[in-house]
Amino acid sequence: MLNSYFFIPGDKQKFLAKIDIIESDYIVIDLEDAVALENKNEAFDLVMSLIPNESHFVRIPFFDKCYSEEQLVKLLQHFEGRIVVPKLRELSELKQIMELVPQPDLRMIILVENPICFINLPDILNRYSSYIQGVGFGSHDFCSITGIKHTFENLSHYKRQLVLYTKAFNVDYIDGVDLDLKDFTQFKNECVFAFEIGSSGKFLIHPSQIEALKSVKFITDAEMEQLKAVYEKIKNIPEDSIEVYTINDKVYEKPHILRIKYLMEKVQRNTN
């Protein structure tokens, strides 16, 4: 029920060669933390040799000064504006990125990795939400900077707040990565929590997490049966004709109906 965003290091040709067979909704080719400084130019050449499609994004270290302005522009153009922006702090930095290309047509994913960005996010979204597909939480960097212990309990408040900000501007919230590749219990709990608070996606860093995400039970069997019953009665009703309905002794208004349609259509897509 969550879209998957799978990271691939930009300097690993053997991984990049498999990009078209990875069963993830989106691919994020990483030129930032996953690539050592001495490999940045090699990674740039590898990434520029790819033929990206609409589901491919590239994470670019805009503020690390490891790429020239010419290289940054080439990456923006090659991926047709589908970029992931790390280490962002304030509105003026995003403006600098926008000014790299004339008449920018961007689909950005903003990473919130520090408290300054967290505080400034409402202003960033208010100004640039039409260019932003999603906001992701870089929780490990966030905790490293703030000194917060990286636990589910400590981070849940910040995740709820990020969902609230993104929903206010019709932007997706993407939950951050889990680093435990052995025990998926916490990973699955994080996924269920992310779904229940309104998240749209989850960042992944290993193929085993793709399979683990597929196995997550976001909805109980009883809930699914109820959703199916409602969906069968309302699936063909146009959005502008939706009224209030009583189905199996429960009242469903338009927001409920739209949510059920969204969930059931996503279930059907995942099943096909």
mmCIF file of all heavy atoms in Angstrom, residues 1 219 224 227-228 261-272:
data_model
loop_
_atom_site.group_PDB
_atom_site.id
_atom_site.type_symbol
_atom_site.label_atom_id
_atom_site.label_comp_id
_atom_site.label_asym_id
_atom_site.label_seq_id
_atom_site.Cartn_x
_atom_site.Cartn_y
_atom_site.Cartn_z
ATOM 1 N N MET A 1 0.806 -1.213 0.000
ATOM 2 C CA MET A 1 0.000 0.000 0.000
ATOM 3 C C MET A 1 0.844 1.270 0.000
ATOM 4 O O MET A 1 0.343 2.354 -0.186
ATOM 5 C CB MET A 1 -0.932 0.018 1.213
ATOM 6 C CG MET A 1 -1.827 -1.206 1.319
ATOM 7 S SD MET A 1 -2.956 -1.420 -0.042
ATOM 8 C CE MET A 1 -4.191 -0.223 0.368
ATOM 9 N N ILE A 219 -3.772 -3.868 6.094
ATOM 10 C CA ILE A 219 -5.193 -3.888 6.421
ATOM 11 C C ILE A 219 -5.562 -5.295 6.883
ATOM 12 O O ILE A 219 -5.150 -6.286 6.257
ATOM 13 C CB ILE A 219 -6.034 -3.500 5.189
ATOM 14 C CG1 ILE A 219 -5.670 -2.086 4.727
ATOM 15 C CG2 ILE A 219 -7.527 -3.564 5.491
ATOM 16 C CD1 ILE A 219 -6.335 -1.688 3.421
ATOM 17 N N MET A 224 -10.497 -5.524 5.154
ATOM 18 C CA MET A 224 -10.494 -5.698 3.700
ATOM 19 C C MET A 224 -11.865 -6.151 3.194
ATOM 20 O O MET A 224 -12.332 -5.672 2.140
ATOM 21 C CB MET A 224 -9.424 -6.701 3.296
ATOM 22 C CG MET A 224 -9.334 -6.949 1.789
ATOM 23 S SD MET A 224 -9.032 -5.411 0.839
ATOM 24 C CE MET A 224 -7.333 -5.069 1.302
ATOM 25 N N LEU A 227 -14.049 -3.127 3.143
ATOM 26 C CA LEU A 227 -13.676 -2.252 2.038
ATOM 27 C C LEU A 227 -14.215 -2.786 0.713
ATOM 28 O O LEU A 227 -14.721 -2.026 -0.121
ATOM 29 C CB LEU A 227 -12.149 -2.110 1.965
ATOM 30 C CG LEU A 227 -11.465 -1.273 3.046
ATOM 31 C CD1 LEU A 227 -9.954 -1.306 2.851
ATOM 32 C CD2 LEU A 227 -11.966 0.157 3.033
ATOM 33 N N LYS A 228 -14.080 -4.083 0.515
ATOM 34 C CA LYS A 228 -14.572 -4.699 -0.723
ATOM 35 C C LYS A 228 -16.079 -4.531 -0.858
ATOM 36 O O LYS A 228 -16.589 -4.240 -1.952
ATOM 37 C CB LYS A 228 -14.210 -6.187 -0.747
ATOM 38 C CG LYS A 228 -12.739 -6.471 -0.981
ATOM 39 C CD LYS A 228 -12.472 -7.972 -0.977
ATOM 40 C CE LYS A 228 -11.006 -8.275 -1.235
ATOM 41 N NZ LYS A 228 -10.722 -9.738 -1.191
ATOM 42 N N LYS A 261 -11.969 4.147 -2.590
ATOM 43 C CA LYS A 261 -11.666 3.962 -4.017
ATOM 44 C C LYS A 261 -10.163 3.923 -4.259
ATOM 45 O O LYS A 261 -9.649 3.076 -4.987
ATOM 46 C CB LYS A 261 -12.307 5.084 -4.848
ATOM 47 C CG LYS A 261 -13.771 4.882 -5.177
ATOM 48 C CD LYS A 261 -14.198 5.894 -6.235
ATOM 49 C CE LYS A 261 -15.579 5.597 -6.779
ATOM 50 N NZ LYS A 261 -15.932 6.465 -7.916
ATOM 51 N N TYR A 262 -9.467 4.851 -3.634
ATOM 52 C CA TYR A 262 -8.010 4.925 -3.795
ATOM 53 C C TYR A 262 -7.345 3.633 -3.317
ATOM 54 O O TYR A 262 -6.495 3.064 -4.008
ATOM 55 C CB TYR A 262 -7.472 6.118 -3.016
ATOM 56 C CG TYR A 262 -5.970 6.120 -2.865
ATOM 57 C CD1 TYR A 262 -5.142 6.532 -3.907
ATOM 58 C CD2 TYR A 262 -5.372 5.700 -1.670
ATOM 59 C CE1 TYR A 262 -3.757 6.525 -3.774
ATOM 60 C CE2 TYR A 262 -3.993 5.688 -1.532
ATOM 61 C CZ TYR A 262 -3.196 6.099 -2.585
ATOM 62 O OH TYR A 262 -1.832 6.078 -2.449
ATOM 63 N N LEU A 263 -7.737 3.168 -2.130
ATOM 64 C CA LEU A 263 -7.123 1.967 -1.569
ATOM 65 C C LEU A 263 -7.402 0.735 -2.409
ATOM 66 O O LEU A 263 -6.497 -0.059 -2.709
ATOM 67 C CB LEU A 263 -7.618 1.747 -0.133
ATOM 68 C CG LEU A 263 -7.149 2.758 0.912
ATOM 69 C CD1 LEU A 263 -7.818 2.483 2.247
ATOM 70 C CD2 LEU A 263 -5.636 2.711 1.061
ATOM 71 N N MET A 264 -8.653 0.549 -2.811
ATOM 72 C CA MET A 264 -9.013 -0.652 -3.555
ATOM 73 C C MET A 264 -8.395 -0.657 -4.947
ATOM 74 O O MET A 264 -7.988 -1.707 -5.458
ATOM 75 C CB MET A 264 -10.534 -0.781 -3.646
ATOM 76 C CG MET A 264 -11.202 -1.087 -2.310
ATOM 77 S SD MET A 264 -10.524 -2.549 -1.481
ATOM 78 C CE MET A 264 -10.832 -3.820 -2.711
ATOM 79 N N GLU A 265 -8.320 0.504 -5.575
ATOM 80 C CA GLU A 265 -7.685 0.565 -6.893
ATOM 81 C C GLU A 265 -6.187 0.297 -6.785
ATOM 82 O O GLU A 265 -5.591 -0.308 -7.674
ATOM 83 C CB GLU A 265 -7.976 1.925 -7.538
ATOM 84 C CG GLU A 265 -9.424 2.036 -8.002
ATOM 85 C CD GLU A 265 -9.851 3.456 -8.316
ATOM 86 O OE1 GLU A 265 -8.988 4.363 -8.237
ATOM 87 O OE2 GLU A 265 -11.049 3.668 -8.637
ATOM 88 N N LYS A 266 -5.589 0.712 -5.672
ATOM 89 C CA LYS A 266 -4.162 0.416 -5.464
ATOM 90 C C LYS A 266 -3.965 -1.081 -5.215
ATOM 91 O O LYS A 266 -3.014 -1.674 -5.726
ATOM 92 C CB LYS A 266 -3.626 1.230 -4.283
ATOM 93 C CG LYS A 266 -2.116 1.146 -4.128
ATOM 94 C CD LYS A 266 -1.605 2.170 -3.157
ATOM 95 C CE LYS A 266 -0.095 2.110 -3.031
ATOM 96 N NZ LYS A 266 0.595 2.423 -4.285
ATOM 97 N N VAL A 267 -4.851 -1.683 -4.446
ATOM 98 C CA VAL A 267 -4.785 -3.130 -4.225
ATOM 99 C C VAL A 267 -4.888 -3.889 -5.552
ATOM 100 O O VAL A 267 -4.140 -4.839 -5.808
ATOM 101 C CB VAL A 267 -5.903 -3.591 -3.260
ATOM 102 C CG1 VAL A 267 -6.024 -5.110 -3.256
ATOM 103 C CG2 VAL A 267 -5.627 -3.082 -1.855
ATOM 104 N N GLN A 268 -5.791 -3.456 -6.393
ATOM 105 C CA GLN A 268 -5.969 -4.119 -7.688
ATOM 106 C C GLN A 268 -4.747 -3.972 -8.570
ATOM 107 O O GLN A 268 -4.343 -4.922 -9.246
ATOM 108 C CB GLN A 268 -7.226 -3.553 -8.379
ATOM 109 C CG GLN A 268 -8.538 -3.947 -7.720
ATOM 110 C CD GLN A 268 -9.729 -3.249 -8.341
ATOM 111 O OE1 GLN A 268 -9.578 -2.344 -9.153
ATOM 112 N NE2 GLN A 268 -10.917 -3.656 -7.933
ATOM 113 N N ARG A 269 -4.128 -2.789 -8.559
ATOM 114 C CA ARG A 269 -2.905 -2.588 -9.353
ATOM 115 C C ARG A 269 -1.780 -3.483 -8.856
ATOM 116 O O ARG A 269 -1.028 -4.047 -9.657
ATOM 117 C CB ARG A 269 -2.475 -1.121 -9.297
ATOM 118 C CG ARG A 269 -3.336 -0.191 -10.125
ATOM 119 C CD ARG A 269 -2.632 1.151 -10.354
ATOM 120 N NE ARG A 269 -2.335 1.817 -9.093
ATOM 121 C CZ ARG A 269 -3.161 2.650 -8.472
ATOM 122 N NH1 ARG A 269 -4.355 2.900 -9.010
ATOM 123 N NH2 ARG A 269 -2.817 3.231 -7.343
ATOM 124 N N ASN A 270 -1.646 -3.621 -7.551
ATOM 125 C CA ASN A 270 -0.592 -4.440 -6.979
ATOM 126 C C ASN A 270 -0.823 -5.922 -7.224
ATOM 127 O O ASN A 270 0.124 -6.706 -7.259
ATOM 128 C CB ASN A 270 -0.459 -4.185 -5.476
ATOM 129 C CG ASN A 270 0.060 -2.792 -5.175
ATOM 130 O OD1 ASN A 270 0.638 -2.131 -6.046
ATOM 131 N ND2 ASN A 270 -0.147 -2.323 -3.960
ATOM 132 N N THR A 271 -2.101 -6.300 -7.376
ATOM 133 C CA THR A 271 -2.431 -7.707 -7.604
ATOM 134 C C THR A 271 -2.195 -8.110 -9.042
ATOM 135 O O THR A 271 -1.767 -9.231 -9.347
ATOM 136 C CB THR A 271 -3.903 -7.966 -7.219
ATOM 137 O OG1 THR A 271 -4.112 -7.593 -5.861
ATOM 138 C CG2 THR A 271 -4.244 -9.442 -7.394
ATOM 139 N N ASN A 272 -2.428 -7.167 -9.971
ATOM 140 C CA ASN A 272 -2.284 -7.480 -11.406
ATOM 141 C C ASN A 272 -0.817 -7.606 -11.810
ATOM 142 O O ASN A 272 0.055 -7.038 -11.205
ATOM 143 C CB ASN A 272 -2.954 -6.367 -12.230
ATOM 144 C CG ASN A 272 -4.447 -6.343 -12.009
ATOM 145 O OD1 ASN A 272 -5.055 -7.364 -11.669
ATOM 146 N ND2 ASN A 272 -5.069 -5.185 -12.198
#
